[in-house]
Amino acid sequence: MDSHADVVVVDYGLGNLRSVTKGLERAGASVTISDDPERFDDADGVVLPGVGAFREGMENADPYRDALEDVAASDRPLFGICLGMQMLLSESEEADHEGQGAVEGLGFVPGTNVRFRGDQKVPHMGWNELDVTREHPLVTGVEGGRGGSVDGEHAYFVHSYYADPENDDAIVAETDYGVTFPAIVANDDGTVFGTQFHPEKSGETGLTILKNFVDLC
């Protein structure tokens, strides 16, 4: 029965696990917070949350790399949130920017995370509009999009870097903040995806997205 999808939230030391867990539970999931990669095998879906720096995220997540690759190779959904989404990409300018040299991301969605370069205030913080650019199960029922008469729904963001995927087809939704950047990305199979915003802090829109994830599980 899909109302009791077993979802594992990866506890690798970074991320607001409590609010993500509460959001997933509201969306109908049965949630386990775990730092044990063997638990991923039993899960119907895995969530990689994250707040903070790319290097720290990747270093902390390194012990989980193989287990996450197994999830990505399976048909079970892997959902990265905020820094967790950026970690799905191949690399980030953030480590270089901080003088830390190159750091390898998970590489499930080929591309680089880049810093906002304009004169906009960084970090990008607060509510902003989503523009859904293509169909994906994660955005079922999320209004707004190219050329539509409907305004896009809004989501809550906090970030200084944004994803720049190699392939534009990886972009599911965009947001504008002095530059148009991906708010949601997904891999070719559609089973690995991430949101730059925090769905658990994005009201009804966020809940819709979390429910869609639980349905996918």
Side-chain angles (χ1 to χ4, degrees):
M1 200 171 122
D2 64 1
S3 61
H4 291 292
D6 287 314
V7 174
V8 167
V9 173
V10 185
D11 179 9
Y12 63 102
L14 290 178
N16 185 344
L17 307 184
R18 197 182 134 76
S19 61
V20 172
T21 300
K22 273 177 66 177
L24 287 162
E25 285 172 348
R26 278 187 67 201
S30 166
V31 182
T32 305
I33 296 174
S34 181
D35 60 2
D36 177 5
E38 299 204 342
R39 281 303 316 268
F40 301 0
D41 285 346
D42 307 327
D44 297 317
V46 175
V47 175
L48 186 66
V51 177
F54 189 82
R55 167 175 280 277
E56 195 182 357
M58 286 314 308
E59 283 176 354
N60 285 23
D62 198 58
Y64 304 98
R65 196 183 275 267
D66 290 346
L68 291 168
E69 282 175 2
D70 289 345
V71 176
S74 74
D75 53 5
R76 290 169 297 148
L78 173 62
F79 184 8
I81 294 176
C82 196
L83 175 65
M85 181 199 100
Q86 294 186 5
M87 287 162 57
L88 299 176
L89 275 77
S90 318
E91 57 186 342
S92 175
E93 286 183 350
E94 183 171 10
D96 275 345
H97 184 78
E98 302 298 332
Q100 298 168 332
V103 176
E104 201 177 322
L106 293 166
F108 301 148
V109 178
T112 304
N113 295 288
V114 298
R115 190 173 169 85
F116 284 114
R117 285 190 169 74
D119 50 12
Q120 64 273 68
K121 200 168 151 214
V122 176
H124 170 217
M125 193 166 175
W127 293 87
N128 206 334
E129 192 172 347
L130 295 179
D131 182 14
V132 176
T133 53
R134 72 171 172 90
E135 288 184 357
H136 184 280
L138 197 65
V139 292
T140 303
V142 176
E143 295 290 344
R146 289 270 139 94
S149 56
V150 187
D151 280 348
E153 295 189 25
H154 285 68
Y156 189 79
F157 294 83
V158 186
H159 62 119
S160 304
Y161 291 77
Y162 62 89
D164 184 13
E166 282 175 17
N167 189 339
D168 282 350
D169 292 344
I171 302 169
V172 174
E174 294 178 327
T175 295
D176 190 71
Y177 186 64
V179 60
T180 301
F181 69 88
I184 304 177
V185 297
N187 71 342
D188 290 345
D189 295 340
T191 58
V192 176
F193 42 80
T195 61
Q196 179 58 70
F197 54 90
H198 288 274
E200 75 281 6
K201 296 177 184 170
S202 297
E204 286 301 314
T205 301
L207 187 58
T208 298
I209 285 167
L210 291 172
K211 281 180 173 162
N212 288 341
F213 167 67
V214 174
D215 286 347
L216 272 167
C217 294

